[in-house]
Amino acid sequence: MKNLTQGNIYKNFILFAFPMVLAGILSQSYHIIDTVIAGKFLGNTGLAAIGSTSAFISFLSSIFCGYGTGFALYLGRLFAAKEYQKLKDVFYTNFLAYSLIMILFSLLCVFCQPFLFRFLQVDPAIQEEASVYFTVYMLGFFIILLNINGTYLLNALGISTYTLYMSILSTVLNISGNLLCVAVLKTGIVGLATSTVFSALVVTICYYLKLRQCFAKMKVADTGVRISFSSLNESYSYSVPTTLQQVIMYLAGFLISPLINGLGSAASSAYSVVMQVYNFNAAIYQNSTKTVGSYTTHCVGCGKYRLLKKGVYVGFLQGLLFVLPFLIACILFADRICAMFYPNGYQGPDLTYAIIFARFYLPLILFNVMNNLFHAFCRGIAAKNLLVASTVIGTGTRILATYLFVYFFGMQGVFIGWAFSWFAEAVFCIISFFSRRWEKKLPCNS
């Protein structure tokens, strides 16, 4: 465990971010391999089955992951302030409430599946496979989300190396499980979902054991736990805005999903590949900018407000350092990277769409690097209005621009709308940061 405000900022940022970036790369790698296995063994219908509900799954995940991100930052503030017993009490109270709500949401989604598929306009040709994948995945959704939130909690305590080890373990379990289920046992698409849930279960247990060790180092492992849901009230200034921000951000993907599915199974298949290419690059800078979120909460917890701006500048340089090599590789080798998701020699409109995205639209995510950095900073200082406003601009622009441009450009209109939203939000983030409106949100000015 480490307070990131102590010592050389450049050294602290690199040492903290490097394991998280590697963990993000590994995590996205096994998601990519999942998709490659689906494409190689199950064909483009398998890709389309996964892609048809991916936007909804991402949207639902955003609710709980957004809450978990904000709550973890609140724990980081308690950690920096050395309020260890309070940290433990709030953690266990939140764990109980969070778990019950997630389980209820998962069951509700399985029950309402027919209505959901009609709204998403899932192609009847892939509906059976999509239903199987969605059902198995949602039944294990609770475990998958606990796995993700374990990463957030440890990062808030200044721990990043352990999350790398867990990503390695998860990747090994997931890939070997996929190959066993799909290539050997021939379980089809159900094997992909089952393997994901199983690997998440193992890693979630490991995260819980690690948190127990952290409590021991804080010397509160053997103290009692006071369960009080009212104790969560103070955390809401972090968790609620972050939840709202994530919901708004992923709402765009959910609302344009019927539009994409309505363009046919080739569009759904292409979108599966596009999302993997995008998510791989996004995971790099998103994990890098988590350093800024943790650093900011530690600054607030210690009252070191003068260090905040320097953290943002260092975070931006670090984000570019990490993402540019991978981004350039994706642009230069777009055709090879996208082709690996399909059977050898495959030529189709879905592959063409994916290559166009990687080559011409993906470079514009550099605008989103700035957006993500600003989000992390706002979460750290609990600047909920700026956080939500930034996301509303990006999401609203994407929805309106996509529906407009799809009418004229088809699938490429989806890409144009997405890129346009990154730019519009980046303009707002830059103006907001340099106008120093966020300083009013600091506790010293309250």
Side-chain angles (χ1 to χ4, degrees):
M1 299 183 291
K2 181 176 177 57
N3 187 324
L4 296 177
T5 65
Q6 298 174 354
N8 185 284
I9 185 174
Y10 297 97
K11 180 180 178 181
N12 285 345
F13 268 49
I14 289 293
L15 291 180
F16 187 69
F18 189 68
M20 288 195 299
V21 170
L22 285 181
I25 291 172
L26 284 171
S27 177
Q28 288 305 316
S29 293
Y30 80 67
H31 285 304
I32 288 173
I33 292 172
D34 276 358
T35 310
V36 169
I37 291 173
K40 296 291 186 183
F41 290 94
L42 305 177
N44 61 336
T45 57
L47 286 175
I50 295 173
S52 62
T53 58
S54 62
F56 174 75
I57 291 175
S58 295
F59 173 68
L60 189 60
S61 298
S62 71
I63 299 174
F64 297 102
C65 290
Y67 177 86
T69 301
F71 180 75
L73 290 173
Y74 172 67
L75 292 186
R77 180 176 175 178
L78 294 179
F79 170 71
K82 298 184 179 181
E83 299 183 50
Y84 300 141
Q85 183 59 49
K86 183 177 181 180
L87 188 156
K88 180 182 177 181
D89 292 341
V90 172
F91 166 76
Y92 278 107
T93 301
N94 181 75
F95 177 81
L96 178 61
Y98 187 84
S99 300
L100 291 174
I101 293 173
M102 280 194 297
I103 292 172
L104 290 175
F105 259 84
S106 298
L107 295 176
L108 181 64
C109 288
V110 173
F111 180 76
C112 296
Q113 184 182 134
F115 170 78
L116 176 64
F117 276 36
R118 284 196 297 272
F119 174 80
L120 294 175
Q121 298 186 33
V122 177
D123 193 325
I126 61 171
Q127 198 163 98
E128 183 177 350
E129 287 187 282
S131 176
V132 170
Y133 181 83
F134 181 78
T135 300
V136 175
Y137 192 94
M138 291 309 302
L139 290 176
F141 192 54
F142 157 68
I143 298 170
I144 294 170
L145 286 176
L146 285 181
N147 178 5
I148 296 171
N149 280 279
T151 303
Y152 300 153
L153 292 172
L154 291 185
N155 290 343
L157 300 179
I159 300 171
S160 59
T161 304
Y162 189 80
T163 60
L164 172 59
Y165 299 151
M166 291 301 98
S167 290
I168 294 172
L169 175 61
S170 181
T171 300
V172 171
L173 289 174
N174 211 299
I175 293 174
S176 58
N178 284 339
L179 291 174
L180 174 64
C181 292
V182 179
V184 179
L185 299 180
K186 307 295 183 182
T187 56
I189 202 165
V190 68
L192 293 175
T194 303
S195 178
T196 299
V197 173
F198 175 75
S199 64
L201 174 62
V202 174
V203 173
T204 297
I205 294 173
C206 292
Y207 274 131
Y208 177 76
L209 295 175
K210 181 62 177 179
L211 284 169
R212 289 279 301 171
Q213 290 181 2
C214 292
F215 289 139
K217 291 182 179 179
M218 297 177 198
K219 298 181 180 180
V220 294
D222 298 325
T223 60
V225 176
R226 179 176 175 268
I227 300 295
S228 173
F229 294 108
S230 61
S231 66
L232 298 177
N233 291 340
E234 191 175 332
S235 70
Y236 293 156
S237 61
Y238 287 89
S239 58
V240 172
T242 306
T243 303
L244 181 60
Q245 181 254 343
Q246 290 289 300
V247 169
I248 294 171
M249 184 166 62
Y250 282 91
L251 183 64
F254 177 54
L255 292 180
I256 68 173
S257 187
L259 192 66
I260 295 171
N261 290 334
L263 294 173
S265 60
S268 299
S269 172
Y271 196 63
S272 290
V273 175
V274 163
M275 287 305 299
Q276 293 303 326
V277 175
Y278 165 77
N279 285 336
F280 183 84
N281 286 272
I284 296 171
Y285 64 77
Q286 286 171 358
N287 279 282
S288 174
T289 55
K290 284 178 183 177
T291 310
V292 175
S294 297
Y295 175 83
T296 303
T297 54
H298 289 182
C299 286
V300 173
C302 297
K304 298 180 179 179
Y305 307 116
R306 60 184 175 80
L307 300 178
L308 288 171
K309 286 194 291 185
K310 186 174 183 180
V312 173
Y313 299 145
V314 175
F316 179 68
L317 293 175
Q318 179 178 264
L320 292 180
L321 175 68
F322 281 124
V323 77
L324 280 176
F326 296 94
L327 178 60
I328 293 171
C330 287
I331 297 169
L332 294 178
F333 305 106
D335 51 348
R336 298 180 186 179
I337 290 173
C338 295
M340 74 181 186
F341 292 94
Y342 295 92
N344 293 334
Y346 178 81
Q347 295 291 329
D350 41 356
L351 175 57
T352 302
Y353 291 145
I355 293 173
I356 289 173
F357 172 81
R359 186 165 287 160
F360 301 108
Y361 297 96
L362 186 64
L364 299 177
I365 64 167
L366 291 177
F367 288 116
N368 211 32
V369 174
M370 291 185 282
N371 300 336
N372 197 260
L373 184 75
F374 187 71
H375 293 170
F377 177 72
C378 289
R379 285 193 288 264
I381 61 173
K384 57 184 178 182
N385 293 338
L386 288 175
L387 180 65
V388 172
S390 168
T391 310
V392 167
I393 289 173
T395 300
T397 301
R398 185 182 178 190
I399 294 171
L400 293 176
T402 299
Y403 272 85
L404 173 64
F405 289 123
V406 163
Y407 181 80
F408 296 102
F409 303 106
M411 188 61 185
Q412 281 206 59
V414 176
F415 306 152
I416 296 172
W418 203 0
F420 194 73
S421 70
W422 295 334
F423 173 76
E425 186 176 357
V427 171
F428 174 83
C429 291
I430 292 171
I431 293 174
S432 297
F433 181 76
F434 286 104
S435 66
R436 305 174 76 169
R437 293 169 56 191
W438 49 270
E439 290 185 343
K440 299 178 182 178
K441 307 301 178 182
L442 298 178
C444 61
N445 293 324
S446 299

